[in-house]
Amino acid sequence: MILTVTLNTALDVTYRVPRLLPHASHRVTAVTERPGGKGLNVARVLAALGHKVTATGFAGGPVGSVVRSALAASPGVVDALVPCGGASRRTLAVVDEASGDTTQFNEPGPLITPAEWSRFLAHYEELVSGVRAVALCGSLPPGVPVGAYAVLVRTARAAGVPVLLDTSGEALRRGVAARPEIIKPNAAELAELTGSRDPLPASRDARRRGAHAVVTSLGPAGLLAATAQGSWQAAPPRPLSGNPTGAGDSVVAGLLSALAEGLDWPDRLTRAVALSAATVLAPVAGEFDPGVYEELRQTVRVTNGN
């Protein structure tokens, strides 16, 4: 069993429009809704890869009810979300069909009370004792302490469970100090953490700050991994055009599933890049075609960066 944590769950709504223009009225050609927030996206991909997954975090209000109803229809994902008094958020992605570009709007999320946070910590401690790996993903909703991920990393480590942390800003800085197994920033988040815009030295700096391994998303250039075993870069076989929504979450799912299966780093990166690329090419945000994934997995380029 793998556990994913999404403290700031969401209902992801995707609009498709022929062309997105400022100051204009738009006719929407298609609408899709699905349970979202980074950890729930990761959970769906893990389940599609054949892993048993439990998803936890907060869900509240009418939107939270919709999220939980939709999650119940997600094969292979166990709902362990914790109710909260505030209303869960929505995210809106607008896909410009002419350019393929996506514009994202993210609501802040519910206000979590100290009592709700305490209940979640007790719930998490019970869950983490029976899993093989944990993904801690996304933003913190209002009211949750900025050091929340550091607390969750330490709890998992005390139970002997490896953690992948995917967040940004101060939550990432504090979480790194708790020594997660893997962090997965993008290049901008890594630069904010370390002060360096050169990804490889910055990755090594992040490892000195506490992360056992750093896997940095480089956009179309793929992934860069700095680990105790060495450094590697992995890239898709060709430039891709599509919807990048959820591609980073597919990277997390690829890395975490490969970690749970005991694969070596080149194979972890190959899986993560192929899943991310397949997600970009999928017509529905955050989904992937297994056949496309298998085809791409055969052509991902992995080079040693030492």
Side-chain angles (χ1 to χ4, degrees), residues 6 14 18 43 65 73 83 106 121 151 164 168 213 250 267 269 291:
T6 314
T14 301
S65 296
N106 298 325
L121 289 177
V151 173
L164 189 155
S168 60
S250 290
D267 287 339
L269 295 173

Side-chain angles (χ1 to χ4, degrees), residues 132-190:
R132 298 174 62 189
V134 176
L136 305 176
C137 303
S139 62
L140 301 177
V144 171
V146 71
Y149 282 136
V151 173
L152 300 183
V153 170
R154 293 188 187 104
T155 299
R157 285 178 54 81
V161 177
V163 179
L164 189 155
L165 176 61
D166 182 17
T167 189
S168 60
E170 185 66 11
L172 174 60
R173 188 183 71 81
R174 297 201 187 191
V176 166
R179 302 187 59 78
E181 189 72 19
I182 305 172
I183 63 170
K184 193 213 70 65
N186 60 34
E189 291 162 350
L190 182 63

Side-chain angles (χ1 to χ4, degrees), residues 75-98:
V77 180
V78 176
D79 176 1
L81 295 170
V82 175
C84 63
S88 294
R89 65 193 179 122
R90 294 162 298 180
T91 69
L92 177 63
V94 183
V95 180
D96 183 327
E97 294 176 328

Side-chain angles (χ1 to χ4, degrees), residues 9-198:
T9 56
L11 180 66
D12 288 345
V13 182
T14 301
Y15 287 172
R16 300 187 71 89
V17 298
R19 185 181 296 276
L20 183 62
L21 300 171
H23 317 298
S25 177
H26 296 79
R27 185 174 297 278
V28 176
T29 58
V31 182
T32 57
E33 292 185 348
R34 59 179 190 140
K38 295 177 74 64
L40 294 188
N41 298 339
V42 171
R44 276 196 306 274
V45 177
L46 286 169
L49 291 171
H51 285 270
K52 296 180 179 179
V53 191
T54 295
T56 191
F58 290 106
V63 171
S65 296
V66 173
V67 167
R68 300 193 77 164
S69 295
L71 193 61
S74 298
V77 180
V78 176
D79 176 1
L81 295 170
V82 175
C84 63
S88 294
R89 65 193 179 122
R90 294 162 298 180
T91 69
L92 177 63
V94 183
V95 180
D96 183 327
E97 294 176 328
S99 67
D101 291 337
T102 301
T103 301
Q104 191 85 16
F105 300 89
N106 298 325
E107 296 177 358
L111 176 64
I112 303 301
T113 68
E116 288 169 339
W117 176 237
S118 294
R119 284 198 299 273
F120 176 81
L121 289 177
H123 178 67
Y124 172 79
E125 190 168 357
E126 291 180 2
L127 290 172
V128 83
S129 63
V131 301
R132 298 174 62 189
V134 176
L136 305 176
C137 303
S139 62
L140 301 177
V144 171
V146 71
Y149 282 136
V151 173
L152 300 183
V153 170
R154 293 188 187 104
T155 299
R157 285 178 54 81
V161 177
V163 179
L164 189 155
L165 176 61
D166 182 17
T167 189
S168 60
E170 185 66 11
L172 174 60
R173 188 183 71 81
R174 297 201 187 191
V176 166
R179 302 187 59 78
E181 189 72 19
I182 305 172
I183 63 170
K184 193 213 70 65
N186 60 34
E189 291 162 350
L190 182 63
E192 182 182 9
L193 174 66
T194 64
S196 172
R197 295 194 174 276
D198 189 330

Side-chain angles (χ1 to χ4, degrees), residues 176 193-196 200-210 214:
V176 166
L193 174 66
T194 64
S196 172
L200 187 55
S203 296
R204 291 169 175 160
D205 183 2
R207 291 194 64 236
R208 288 191 293 270
R209 292 168 186 257
V214 179

